[in-house]
Amino acid sequence: MASTGPDPLFGLRNNFYIGAYQAAINNSDVPNLSSDDAVERDTLVYRSYIALGSYQLVISEIDDSAATPLQAVKLLALYLSRPDNKETVITSLHELLGDPAIGNNPILRLIAGIVFMHEQDYNEALKHTNAGGTMELHALNVQIFIKMHRSDYAEKQLRIMQQADEDHTLTQLANAWLNLAVGGSKIQEAYLIFQDFSEKNQMTGLILNGKAVCCMHMGNFDEAETLLLEALNKDTKDSETLANLVVCSLHLGKPSTRYLSQLKISHPDHMLVGHAASAEEIFDRAVQTVA
């Protein structure tokens, strides 16, 4: 659909995409919004609060009379806030998705994709996201296909995004994610994308982690550590920063226990915590057999 003028939510949306969540919240008072734009604004603000870990604020502020996209965001907050909420949230999501009047709502489908990706049920996620329709849905498809080790399908999604808007923040991010997944000479290209972001935008944990992961792939662990410590200063509980610091510290021969302990406390469901627990169990069993 052709735009009839400047996009009033461009700055807010861009802040959210690059991980500048507090800036998105602080600059969300946009005047003279249409009712649809106001709902999208609220959706982005509440998703920013979720990204900052303020689940309870979102749960308490969104009531049952709120629009469908906001109900979906509330379900995401419930899902992430407590493990014992998961089954209830997934049941509610299926009910909303099964309602012909609202089931095709792009934010509802996006939230469903995010939840099922967290569940590592990628086929279920794709049932709701694969049809695309928004840049966010295509970007999520890229992430899902990368997790499925199908960079060929991820590349098809990226091509759709590039045809729609090559300079879009999400297109650039998706390009960097795919370059990281493909590896080899593409790592340098991914690094340059994150470098470009860091020159044009405020430095965020998302950008710093992107650059750091590229550095680790290229064997530059000292530079990666510097970037990750800067990211840790911005958010001491960020799961990706802590997980990347564990990996980086191991490569540098430095202690990583504290970062892993922080990750276990603040993000017990993180994949790296699961891997570490499995490794500890294997080690314990091995010790017992020797003993």
Side-chain angles (χ1 to χ4, degrees), residues 24 48 57 69 78 88 94 112 129 136 140 156 158 167 170 181 218 241 285 291:
S48 296
L57 179 145
L78 284 163
T88 315
H94 280 304
T129 63
E136 273 206 275
L140 185 60
K156 286 178 184 173
L158 177 60
D167 297 324
L170 286 177
M218 294 187 288
T241 304
R285 280 200 298 272

Side-chain angles (χ1 to χ4, degrees), residues 8 18 35 52 63 98 118 160 176 185 194 196 230 244 279:
I18 63 165
S35 56
L52 293 172
D63 62 33
H118 270 279
I160 294 168
S185 61
F194 286 117
D196 189 50
E230 188 181 340
N244 286 330

Side-chain angles (χ1 to χ4, degrees), residues 47-98:
R47 287 173 67 197
S48 296
Y49 276 117
I50 289 172
L52 293 172
S54 299
Y55 307 127
Q56 210 51 51
L57 179 145
V58 177
I59 294 163
S60 62
E61 286 197 9
I62 298 175
D63 62 33
D64 293 343
S65 64
T68 301
L70 292 168
Q71 295 295 343
V73 170
K74 182 176 183 175
L75 285 176
L76 179 61
L78 284 163
Y79 174 84
L80 293 171
S81 63
R82 283 172 59 183
D84 55 358
N85 284 337
K86 288 183 178 183
E87 281 185 31
T88 315
V89 167
I90 288 168
T91 302
S92 299
L93 266 178
H94 280 304
E95 285 173 7
L96 291 174
L97 290 160

